[in-house]
Structure formats: structure tokens, C-alpha cells
Amino acid sequence: MTAIADLPDIRPSLLLDFANSGRVDPRIQCTRASSATCWGPDGKLRTVPANVPRIEYDPMTGKCLGLLVEEARTNLLRQSSLLSDTAWVKSDVLVTPSDTQNALGLSFIKLTPISGAYKTINQSLSTVISDNQIVAFSVFAKAGEMNTIRLGVGNKASIINAGHFNLLTGEASRKEITGKYFGDGWWRVTLSGTDVSSGSATPRVHIYSINNGDVTTPGDGVSGLYIAAPQLEVGSFPTSYIPTEDTAVTRAADAVSIALTLSGG
């Protein structure tokens, strides 16, 4: 006798099969006090209104991944969708915005080093972070003539933690920097596990365009790579992208409950 022979020949009254159904059972109550983003079946980022559940899809395959439920997080970076804005300081680099969005539905720029010592786009936070807070710094990136992105987190005086990631091979310089491939050459690269305070209440983030991990690569004003949607959040891992403009933006937590009526027997 097999184990399945002992099971009742009836269907369950509640089947939470989000991935195969692509929908949320109406008895599932989903609340979230803000809008939020997720990947749609077309592989593009979409914005979902407050209190609407998010069904997530794999942007590469279009496969439904199920119901996306996340804790509250804040993107501490300003102008995450407009990297040409003055909120981002350009040091020995050219920033060229694209007229179109990329295959993921994100606005992006080309980051091109020129001659000089720094070759970085960077931003100082306007939000104070308390001591001993771990953050995750992520950015979408694609190789151009240059193939390596370098991410750094520090204070106003110096970079405390940094690492680079090869956008062609997927190789990272250290375990704290990782990449998730999204297709069409685009990766989401993350530098995590960094205590950004380290004696400063005003952290700064840096994004560099380099080649083969060589930070001394001279800039020629033509060669570069592409970046989009940077995010800095308190936590040990990155969450769904939170677009920002002039201020930091918080995505509220997803709260999920089931409305059931139990009958006595």
C-alpha cells in the first residue's frame, strides 16, 4: 500500500498555488500602505498600487514566481531614476542619459571615465544612519566598452568598503559583492554587509566604471558601461527596487492574512 492511497479523494478547500495560478485567492487579504514594484510577465518592472498584492515573474523566463511579500525598506538614495541630476556628484566621468528604457523597463545612463584620478559618480546621503547599521548597496549594470563595475560605501573622508564585479564573466573580487543576472546583459550587482557609519553620520556611495578590475584604467571619454536604479537600504540583502526623486522613499511592509470561516463538526 502506498501512502497516497490513504489520502482522501477530495480537493482542498483552499489551494495557495500562486505560481501556477498567477492570481491571489480572494480570501487572501493583502495590505501595504504604499505602492511597490515587481517584475511583470513581460520581463519589465511594474508599479503596483498600495494594498494590491504583487505577483512576481522571472524577468528572464517569464515564469510566475508567486506572491511577493517583503518587509518595509527605504531607498536612502535620491534621484535613483535620474542619475544625471545634481544629487549625484560626477568626478572625472561623463554621464550620458539614454533616450529609451532598457529591456527591464528602467531608465539608465552610460558612465564614461575621462582623464583624472577619481572616475566615479557618487552621492552623500541626506539621511542620518545610526551606528552599527548594516546596509546593502545595489545597482543594475551592463557592460559596454568597459566590463567591470566597482561599488564603494564609506563616509565623507574615505571609502570603507568596496568591491568590483565583472559584468561579462560574473566574477566578483570578494564575497560581499554579488550579482544576479536579469538578461540582455543586465545584472543587479550588490555590495552587502557594510557598516556605513564608521565614525560618520553621513555615508557616501560610489559607482565606478573600470576594466578587468583595474581601478587605474585611464578614461578615454568614449569607453564606459551602463547603470540604472541604484538603491541603498538598511539590511543585509537587497529587496525590490524603490524609485526615488528628491527624497528617500519608503516601501511599506506587505501584510498578508487569510479570511476563513470554520464550521463545527
Side-chain angles (χ1 to χ4, degrees):
M1 178 182 292
T2 61
I4 196 170
D6 297 325
L7 297 177
D9 188 22
I10 59 174
R11 289 183 59 80
S13 59
L14 180 63
L15 181 61
L16 303 180
D17 191 2
F18 304 113
N20 286 318
S21 66
R23 62 184 293 271
V24 177
D25 189 288
R27 288 167 290 183
I28 305 295
Q29 305 295 318
C30 298
T31 60
R32 185 185 58 255
S34 71
S35 61
T37 66
C38 64
W39 301 104
D42 60 353
K44 295 183 181 295
L45 191 75
R46 58 178 176 173
T47 300
V48 178
N51 298 321
V52 174
R54 289 179 288 169
I55 296 294
E56 178 97 306
Y57 292 80
D58 186 320
M60 286 187 62
T61 66
K63 179 182 178 180
C64 183
L65 301 178
L67 181 65
L68 178 59
V69 178
E70 295 183 300
E71 63 192 83
R73 286 288 184 92
T74 300
N75 186 354
L76 299 168
L77 300 176
R78 292 161 286 131
Q79 299 293 356
S80 65
S81 299
L82 188 62
L83 301 180
S84 59
D85 189 84
T86 55
W88 291 93
V89 177
K90 291 82 176 176
S91 299
D92 306 322
V93 292
L94 299 175
V95 168
T96 308
S98 173
D99 294 332
T100 61
Q101 293 184 326
N102 65 9
L104 302 174
L106 297 170
S107 300
F108 65 98
I109 64 165
K110 183 175 183 181
L111 186 64
T112 306
I114 56 178
S115 60
Y118 296 102
K119 302 186 288 291
T120 174
I121 179 173
N122 59 84
Q123 183 178 139
S124 294
L125 272 63
S126 58
T127 303
V128 173
I129 297 179
S130 58
D131 287 343
N132 301 316
Q133 291 293 307
I134 302 301
V135 301
F137 177 32
S138 60
V139 64
F140 288 83
K142 179 178 180 177
E145 298 85 4
M146 289 186 162
N147 58 32
T148 306
I149 185 170
R150 182 174 175 85
L151 301 183
V153 178
N155 55 36
K156 283 187 173 182
S158 62
I159 298 175
I160 299 165
N161 194 8
H164 56 261
F165 184 88
N166 190 301
L167 299 166
L168 296 180
T169 66
E171 295 179 286
S173 64
R174 52 187 300 182
K175 66 179 181 179
E176 289 83 4
I177 192 160
T178 57
K180 179 180 179 182
Y181 190 61
F182 279 76
D184 193 41
W186 286 92
W187 295 78
R188 192 181 194 187
V189 183
T190 301
L191 176 64
S192 58
T194 302
D195 175 5
V196 296
S197 55
S198 298
S200 172
T202 309
R204 179 189 294 269
V205 296
H206 292 259
I207 303 171
Y208 301 82
S209 174
I210 56 179
N211 225 19
N212 299 316
D214 182 6
V215 295
T216 64
T217 302
D220 60 10
V222 176
S223 303
L225 53 77
Y226 305 94
I227 61 173
Q231 182 156 302
L232 182 73
E233 51 196 306
V234 175
S236 59
F237 56 90
T239 60
S240 60
Y241 175 51
I242 306 169
T244 67
E245 294 182 356
D246 293 332
T247 61
V249 173
T250 298
R251 180 198 61 243
D254 295 285
V256 179
S257 59
I258 303 176
L260 291 178
T261 300
L262 300 178
S263 58

